[in-house]
Amino acid sequence: MATLTTADVCFDCHVSDLIEYRDRAVLSQVILKDAVSQYTLFSLGKDTDIEEHTATRNAAITVLEGEGTLTLNGKAIALKPGVFVFMPANAPHALKASENLSFLLTLTA
C-alpha cells in the first residue's frame, strides 16, 4: 500500500495499482494526507451503498473506473470515469455503486 502521511516530500504512485474490490464492500486507502488536504482512494464493490451523510470539509470526487450514482443535495449525479464533482462542506450526499466503482476523494480545508 502506498500511503504517505505528509506532503513535505515529492510522491507519486500509479493509483490503478491500488484499486481492489470486495463483494458489496467499501475499501478506502489514504494515499496522502497533510495539514490542509487528504487524498483517499475509494473502491466500492457492485451494489454497494454509502448512506447519506455530510462532511465538515469541502470535498471533490474524481471517478477513475466503474459506474454509480451520487446523490448530492437531493440531486442524482451519474458517476462514470472522468466525472469530477465538487461537494461543499456540510452538503448531504450518498453513493450507490451499480458496478465496481473507484474514485479519488479529495478533502480540503
Side-chain angles (χ1 to χ4, degrees):
M1 170 137 122
T3 301
L4 186 67
T5 56
T6 180
D8 60 354
V9 296
C10 294
F11 175 75
D12 67 272
C13 72
H14 203 284
V15 177
S16 64
D17 292 342
L18 305 176
I19 295 172
E20 176 185 350
Y21 297 107
R22 294 202 183 130
D23 200 27
R24 294 187 179 192
V26 177
L27 300 179
S28 65
Q29 298 178 57
V30 174
I31 296 172
L32 186 131
K33 181 178 181 178
D34 64 19
V36 296
S37 59
Q38 178 174 313
Y39 303 86
T40 305
L41 174 65
F42 277 83
S43 300
L44 284 69
K46 181 180 178 180
D47 296 326
T48 300
D49 295 315
I50 297 178
E51 293 185 13
E52 186 174 78
H53 62 284
T54 61
T56 59
R57 299 166 73 180
N58 288 334
I61 289 176
T62 305
V63 180
L64 304 172
E65 63 181 35
E67 292 186 12
T69 303
L70 170 70
T71 303
L72 176 60
N73 285 327
K75 177 185 173 192
I77 300 168
L79 299 178
K80 56 186 174 183
V83 169
F84 175 88
V85 180
F86 173 78
M87 299 182 293
N90 302 310
H93 57 282
L95 281 159
K96 167 117 178 113
S98 53
E99 295 181 2
N100 286 343
L101 174 69
S102 287
F103 58 87
L104 185 64
L105 175 71
T106 303
L107 298 174
T108 58

